[in-house]
Amino acid sequence: MTYVSLLSPVVCVCVSHFVLIGRTSAFLLLHQARAERFFRSDHTNNWAVLVCTSRFWFNYRHVANTLSVYRSVKRLGIPDSHIVLMLADDMACNHRNPKPATVFSHKNMELNVYGDDVEVDYRGYEVTVENFLRVLTGRLPPSTPRSKRLLSDDHSNILIYLTGHGGNGFLKFQDSEEISNVELADAFEQMWQKRRYNELLFIIDTCQGASMYERFYSPNLMALASSQVGEDSLSHQPDLAIGVHLMDRYTFYLLEFLEDIHPASQANMNDLFKVCPKSQCVSTPGHRTDLFQRDPGSVLITDFFGSVRKVEITMETINLTVPGIPLERFGGEPHTETALAYVDQLPVAQIIHQKPKQKDWHPPDGFILGLWTLILLVFFRTYGIKHLKHIF
Amino acid sequence: LSIRPVLSDPEKQRGRSAAVAIAALVIAAGIPLWWKTTETYRAWLPAARISELEALQLELRVEVEVVFARGTLSPEQQKKVPASRITYESCCKSKSLCLVEADHALHTLTETSCGSVVIYIIPEASALLPQDMRVYVGRSRTALLRSQVASVVGAGLPEVLAALDPQMEQVLQTMSFNHQDVTAALTDRLRPGLSTRDSLADSMRAFKSSPGYEITFSLLNPDPKHHQLHWDVEAALDAYIYPLLHKMAPVANFSVDSQILYYAVLGVNPRYDASASAYTLSADSLAHVINPVEARLGSNAASSNPVLNFLLYVPDSLHSPLIIRNDQKQEVASNAFHSPRWGGIMVYNVDGAYGNDTQFPVDIAIDMSRVMGVFLSQLRLMLGFQQTGAPPGFVLEAAGREGVAEWELDRLLWSRSVENVATASASITSLAQLLDQIANIVINDNIAQQVASAVTALQAAVAELEAGNLALALEHSREAISASERAFFDPSLLHLLYFPDDQKFAIYIPLFLPMCVPILLSLLKIFREVQQHRAEKRAKRD
């Protein structure tokens, strides 16, 4: 038993401050090997915003475009919770679809891109310029559910895919409104101001698509378009059974390219730039990389289309199994197990014994009233007013 | 042959005055009315204070109390310092516990407020610290520093303190913050490339400052036919996780839930290794495990807070035992891995609990203390408590059951306050810039109010950081960041309609041109007649 006299008279000195801004640190910590693995790229999660902006049955190919990118992105690992899918019209369940619940990408009906587990976040008339910009900038009303939000952070890589009908400097939404390239560039700038993305890949498959990325000015943006200004982006081939063109050329060859990519693939962006040369596409695809900081050759396809997580082995654990020290309960006394049961989903008893609601009386409809007035008027005009006493 | 009506003079005069009256009405009443009714409502923003925020100078102040033990100062030096007599004696049974007990007792001696540090200087020859240990940092905000200050003979108090300066700075950089931490917290506003790779890895791993977090603990049972698992997660959370979360209450709100998933498999096929007679998962395949599982995990749809997932996977009987191998093909002791900003997965093997010919399904109770030990360390990493290795000669006492030491929490609070201040000021300045640039956005009163309160809270936070009151600074910085986020992400701030100038002309010309042309032409005519009249008058006079 050692007897230690630690501090008998103790002298106290109060030192008031240590200001530490601007002094360099004396020591760096040594987790180099682990740190190396992180720095091939700066992102920790992936998001995708896939938008089809046209409605009506003859724009089947735009929905098929978007769904094929959706399918690739899901296959390569991005979960539905990280995908915002906006489809302006429903082709799979359209009355004119001879094969309901399917959307095909090739005329031989090989690939049903609709699949079994499509999760459409914005559908039909919800796909508007306003909603699209709200999703990008994050300015959604507080009641919006998680699945409709783009909850990206400063280490997210985002893929944005737009398709539809476009022109020089604009993209048409729903046949009634348009988004201009200036608005899009401003939206991306606001995303950058709030660091809502780490890197962003923008792909657009419309006529004169290159005009949409002309005005970008925020850093870390890479853009691809299916056609230059003044060129039309053409569709691939019609299917005689379905009766419409199934896909656009650029996205058709893009899908073909992506089908060869698997989550561990090392294909990079330079391969993506070569997709659909002029001989196949008729239009000239373009791309823009001047705002992007990394060299495109070092950017993997799966950095944007897939979701390869960074993983670290947990080396340290905390030893909680110390014998002899009793477990303190933090929450209070232990509560007894109560048997849990579901609430009655369909309260049949209440429904059966419900009395029928009293319908309020409404005066007769305007049409009937008008019809009777007309008949009376004609009668009295023809036969004279003296017959009135027979009525009243 | 066209007939022009000849107007008499009074009629002409009436005509002229009518035209002038209409023109006057249009200019005096019409134009201001049109201007007023087409302008957007923009509430006043404190632009001057916001522009001050752009050049924000942060000064962080740590209150340090230095206590000299007997034998460290010479008697002359002792006379110069304010003295107070505190006696402490302790009996310890063994050397190893001695330090912990001493630290615990010292902690009760002085009241330390959030953010402050107490350094006890003990003589060189003291037996309290082992030979090679220079500094011992305990679980609360105290540190024991071994120093030979008394050898500085004849020096006054300032010299003594100056001599201690480098060592104390090292202690403070471990316990409070250093240049790396502050730079990492300010990554929002700094150019890329300024922070080192380690701090970047730390900042990538930990979640950004957010008003709340959701933590979900999931038990994955792919084989319910063979394993019937029981885990007392509520008790384990109460005992191990809630103390830590309660301590973190000033930083953020936490909501914790748990679930059990049946028939959930890992997306990767493990390989059988005959030498270890176990199934193995190599480090490369771990990256592909998370995505298929994530599709099954639900999340609380009510809030937009970041979610931390902690998964406990019990392998099915066909693939038991399952071990994780690292890059060097060695077994990992914890059998767990984590992904930055997502959470952690631990593989828990139960094949040892039963033999070959037991009645299936087997009831298995999971040892929650082992599981929570792993989850707690992963949770600490995700929340931002870095794995700082100690500099040479330092010993940092592990936090153990409490989850986090007080100085570690202070460290987190420093970096969180700085991060909040940086993010809030960045939001406010960019919002002000945005509203300046785009004249079409309506600024409602509530946004102006949020911005004003954010600016006030920011200035208060900066003032508190300068004064060294960490708890108050954190509170103000949280207020500032929540107000600035609410202002920036207000749904009404949508610059929807971009009107290029030619479109504006196209809208107004059909409305105003038909009206303005007659007015202008008649004004011109009147002007010409007046000029003519004046010319005639001058001719008559001459």
Side-chain angles (χ1 to χ4, degrees):
Chain A
M1 185 163 124
T2 53
Y3 183 84
V4 172
S5 155
L6 181 57
L7 308 162
S8 35
V10 164
V11 167
C12 235
V13 169
C14 281
V15 174
S16 66
H17 67 272
F18 256 92
V19 178
L20 276 179
I21 289 286
R23 297 197 201 188
T24 53
S25 156
F27 45 87
L28 271 181
L29 309 179
L30 312 162
H31 297 283
Q32 282 294 347
R34 214 158 2 109
E36 288 296 329
R37 194 111 60 104
F38 275 19
F39 295 99
R40 201 192 41 74
S41 74
D42 267 350
H43 71 284
T44 59
N45 53 37
N46 284 80
W47 284 82
V49 179
L50 311 172
V51 184
C52 158
T53 60
S54 2
R55 52 175 35 241
F56 306 131
W57 172 245
F58 51 81
N59 290 322
Y60 183 102
R61 60 190 186 281
H62 296 141
V63 173
N65 287 351
T66 317
L67 284 173
S68 51
V69 177
Y70 172 77
R71 177 209 141 73
S72 311
V73 146
K74 262 181 86 157
R75 193 176 52 81
L76 291 173
I78 303 186
D80 270 316
S81 53
H82 286 231
I83 303 178
V84 178
L85 178 62
M86 305 171 78
L87 296 180
D89 203 356
D90 185 7
M91 298 304 166
C93 301
N94 197 304
H95 306 297
R96 294 161 83 167
N97 192 349
K99 312 249 184 247
T102 59
V103 172
F104 288 108
S105 66
H106 191 271
K107 71 174 180 194
N108 290 336
M109 307 215 191
E110 291 162 356
L111 192 54
N112 172 19
V113 290
Y114 199 62
D116 287 333
D117 54 352
V118 171
E119 203 179 281
V120 183
D121 300 306
Y122 287 85
R123 57 193 68 186
Y125 287 108
E126 290 172 356
V127 178
T128 57
V129 173
E130 177 184 345
N131 281 346
F132 178 57
L133 289 179
R134 282 189 191 282
V135 165
L136 286 184
T137 54
R139 297 205 170 101
L140 289 158
S143 56
T144 317
R146 261 187 114 97
S147 58
K148 285 190 163 178
R149 287 181 188 259
L150 179 63
L151 295 170
S152 54
D153 54 30
D154 58 328
H155 285 298
S156 303
N157 277 8
I158 307 184
L159 166 72
I160 298 190
Y161 177 82
L162 294 176
T163 184
H165 289 288
N168 190 357
F170 66 92
L171 171 62
K172 183 175 76 159
F173 266 70
Q174 298 268 11
D175 217 29
S176 61
E177 51 182 5
E178 25 181 80
I179 185 173
S180 65
N181 48 7
V182 174
E183 282 175 318
L184 197 57
D186 282 340
F188 286 159
E189 174 63 16
Q190 290 183 50
M191 286 175 80
W192 174 251
Q193 290 285 331
K194 277 308 276 179
R195 299 293 186 273
R196 277 166 69 79
Y197 67 88
N198 175 39
E199 288 169 347
L200 201 146
L201 177 63
F202 175 78
I203 305 184
I204 183 161
D205 188 354
T206 63
C207 304
Q208 308 194 52
S211 63
M212 290 303 283
Y213 61 64
E214 271 173 7
R215 301 289 193 108
F216 290 172
Y217 55 95
S218 317
N220 289 351
L221 294 178
M222 195 190 309
L224 279 101
S226 62
S227 53
Q228 301 292 334
V229 174
E231 287 180 350
D232 285 338
S233 188
L234 300 177
S235 60
H236 192 224
Q237 45 185 221
D239 176 274
L240 294 176
I242 296 181
V244 286
H245 286 258
L246 293 185
M247 272 194 65
D248 279 332
R249 283 177 190 244
Y250 182 74
T251 312
F252 181 81
Y253 291 107
L254 180 69
L255 177 65
E256 221 176 62
F257 172 76
L258 289 175
E259 288 288 302
D260 287 334
I261 308 280
H262 55 92
S265 153
Q266 298 289 310
N268 59 37
M269 281 294 157
N270 284 334
D271 304 324
L272 191 62
F273 295 155
K274 294 193 203 118
V275 162
C276 206
K278 194 170 164 92
S279 53
Q280 282 174 330
C281 251
V282 183
S283 57
T284 319
H287 54 91
R288 179 175 178 182
T289 54
D290 58 316
L291 293 167
F292 203 74
Q293 280 178 6
R294 291 194 285 154
D295 170 43
S298 68
V299 180
L300 298 183
I301 301 284
T302 50
D303 278 352
F304 288 102
F305 285 91
S307 172
V308 182
R309 301 262 182 188
K310 294 183 170 42
V311 157
E312 283 183 309
I313 308 274
T314 307
M315 302 304 279
E316 290 181 11
T317 64
I318 298 180
N319 185 5
L320 292 174
T321 55
V322 181
I325 299 184
L327 225 63
E328 312 147 12
R329 287 217 59 134
F330 196 76
E333 65 285 353
H335 40 260
T336 51
E337 287 272 335
T338 48
L340 302 169
Y342 279 110
V343 172
D344 204 1
Q345 300 280 318
L346 188 68
V348 178
Q350 290 176 18
I351 294 175
I352 288 179
H353 294 295
Q354 231 174 20
K355 285 209 173 70
K357 251 180 34 169
Q358 293 279 36
K359 276 217 151 108
D360 300 322
W361 178 84
H362 291 289
D365 211 345
F367 174 69
I368 306 288
L369 262 179
L371 193 62
W372 277 108
T373 316
L374 184 65
I375 292 172
L376 283 173
L377 257 163
V378 168
F379 176 76
F380 286 118
R381 272 301 284 267
T382 333
Y383 298 107
I385 208 81
K386 62 183 190 287
H387 290 273
L388 196 56
K389 66 177 191 288
H390 296 291
I391 314 287
F392 294 108
Chain B
L1 163 66
S2 67
I3 304 174
R4 296 187 66 183
V6 178
L7 295 170
S8 57
D9 256 339
E11 281 179 3
K12 264 198 192 162
Q13 191 55 39
R14 221 184 305 137
R16 253 183 252 141
S17 46
V20 169
I22 289 175
L25 193 70
V26 163
I27 294 173
I31 289 183
L33 199 69
W34 166 67
W35 189 259
K36 206 74 178 67
T37 48
T38 53
E39 77 175 1
T40 48
Y41 177 72
R42 295 172 77 96
W44 179 81
L45 290 178
R49 289 162 77 194
I50 292 176
S51 52
E52 272 173 39
L53 287 177
E54 288 200 33
L56 195 61
Q57 292 266 7
L58 270 184
E59 191 179 299
L60 304 177
R61 184 179 282 244
V62 181
E63 290 266 341
V64 178
E65 198 176 309
V66 180
V67 179
F68 290 95
R70 182 175 62 161
T72 43
L73 287 181
S74 59
E76 314 88 58
Q77 289 162 339
Q78 264 187 27
K79 282 196 204 107
K80 297 199 188 128
V81 251
S84 68
R85 297 189 162 252
I86 304 172
T87 309
Y88 167 72
E89 293 176 0
S90 84
C91 316
C92 343
K93 296 199 174 53
S94 71
K95 267 258 181 208
S96 55
L97 275 182
C98 210
L99 212 43
V100 179
E101 270 196 31
D103 173 60
H104 188 72
L106 286 174
H107 168 60
T108 53
L109 278 183
T110 45
E111 262 306 309
T112 48
S113 66
C114 189
S116 62
V117 172
V118 182
I119 302 183
Y120 289 92
I121 314 282
I122 56 177
E124 185 75 27
S126 165
L128 194 56
L129 295 178
Q131 270 308 102
D132 49 349
M133 201 193 293
R134 256 188 323 115
V135 177
Y136 169 78
V137 177
R139 282 198 198 155
S140 51
R141 300 182 179 103
T142 55
L144 295 176
L145 174 63
R146 187 215 298 275
S147 148
Q148 63 273 51
V149 166
S151 63
V152 182
V153 177
L157 194 55
E159 286 87 354
V160 166
L161 286 175
L164 279 176
D165 217 16
Q167 292 167 333
M168 285 208 287
E169 192 179 320
Q170 228 185 9
V171 171
L172 283 171
Q173 284 184 346
T174 316
M175 286 179 76
S176 291
F177 51 83
N178 57 23
H179 188 69
Q180 247 66 32
D181 295 336
V182 175
T183 324
L186 291 174
T187 43
D188 249 3
R189 304 197 75 183
L190 289 178
R191 295 187 315 274
L194 271 187
S195 45
T196 66
R197 291 159 85 87
D198 295 297
S199 60
L200 196 55
D202 280 333
S203 79
M204 274 169 72
R205 190 184 302 122
F207 277 91
K208 275 193 85 79
S209 171
S210 155
Y213 298 94
E214 282 175 39
I215 307 180
T216 306
F217 291 91
S218 312
L219 172 64
L220 272 62
N221 186 0
D223 199 5
K225 287 205 199 72
H226 293 116
H227 302 143
Q228 189 138 4
L229 300 171
H230 301 281
W231 71 333
D232 191 6
V233 63
E234 282 195 54
L237 288 176
D238 271 346
Y240 304 119
I241 305 285
Y242 284 149
L244 169 62
L245 297 184
H246 189 72
K247 280 200 197 151
M248 299 259 313
V251 179
N253 299 324
F254 290 93
S255 103
V256 181
D257 43 43
S258 64
Q259 61 179 344
I260 304 182
L261 287 173
Y262 292 106
Y263 294 106
V265 293
L266 296 182
V268 179
N269 281 328
R271 242 179 254 140
Y272 185 71
D273 186 4
S275 61
S277 66
Y279 288 86
T280 59
L281 277 177
S282 67
D284 307 319
S285 55
L286 291 177
H288 305 290
V289 165
I290 294 180
N291 285 325
V293 175
E294 188 171 4
R296 305 291 188 80
L297 301 171
S299 74
N300 188 357
S303 73
S304 323
N305 290 331
V307 179
L308 285 86
N309 290 300
F310 293 101
L311 271 55
L312 182 63
Y313 180 73
V314 176
D316 49 331
S317 53
L318 290 171
H319 289 108
S320 280
L322 181 61
I323 55 179
I324 298 178
R325 288 243 167 96
N326 61 9
D327 285 326
Q328 286 85 31
K329 304 279 182 268
Q330 292 158 348
E331 223 179 276
V332 172
S334 60
N335 220 18
F337 61 99
H338 57 269
S339 176
R341 298 207 178 178
W342 184 81
I345 301 186
M346 176 180 177
V347 177
Y348 187 91
N349 291 313
V350 293
D351 58 316
Y354 55 90
N356 264 340
D357 45 333
T358 36
Q359 182 83 338
F360 287 126
V362 182
D363 277 314
I364 299 170
I366 295 183
D367 179 12
M368 292 309 290
S369 53
R370 215 181 95 203
V371 169
M372 283 299 164
V374 174
F375 282 162
L376 192 58
S377 67
Q378 288 176 342
L379 180 63
R380 278 168 46 107
L381 283 175
M382 297 290 142
L383 290 176
F385 298 104
Q386 300 129 326
Q387 298 167 311
T388 43
F394 276 58
V395 166
L396 307 174
E397 177 74 27
R401 300 280 313 273
E402 290 154 17
V404 64
E406 287 182 27
W407 60 270
E408 283 182 313
L409 187 59
D410 282 353
R411 237 190 121 93
L412 182 70
L413 295 187
W414 282 114
S415 66
R416 277 292 152 93
S417 311
V418 172
E419 191 186 331
N420 285 348
V421 166
T423 315
S425 61
S427 302
I428 296 287
T429 44
S430 75
L431 179 64
Q433 207 181 12
L434 170 75
L435 294 175
D436 245 352
Q437 270 176 353
I438 304 176
N440 272 341
I441 291 188
V442 176
I443 307 178
N444 286 327
D445 282 329
N446 67 325
I447 295 174
Q449 196 192 33
Q450 296 285 356
V451 169
S453 68
V455 172
T456 318
L458 258 179
Q459 287 172 338
V462 171
E464 297 289 355
L465 280 176
E466 271 183 31
N469 304 327
L470 185 55
L472 280 175
L474 183 72
E475 211 182 289
H476 285 300
S477 70
R478 270 185 82 184
E479 260 178 55
I481 204 175
S482 80
S484 66
E485 296 281 300
R486 238 177 293 144
F488 194 94
F489 287 119
D490 192 276
S492 71
L493 282 182
L494 196 64
H495 167 46
L496 258 192
L497 306 165
Y498 165 68
F499 291 127
D501 284 331
D502 46 351
Q503 283 192 20
K504 276 199 204 130
F505 283 130
I507 291 174
Y508 282 131
I509 283 180
L511 290 175
F512 290 141
L513 202 61
M515 178 186 75
C516 285
V517 165
I519 295 180
L520 280 173
L521 286 180
S522 52
L523 281 179
L524 266 172
K525 189 163 165 228
I526 291 172
F527 181 65
R528 238 181 276 132
E529 283 179 0
V530 165
Q531 261 193 330
Q532 215 179 22
H533 191 68
R534 270 214 210 119
E536 280 173 9
K537 258 196 171 162
R538 231 178 289 132
K540 258 208 260 180
R541 251 191 279 128
D542 297 338

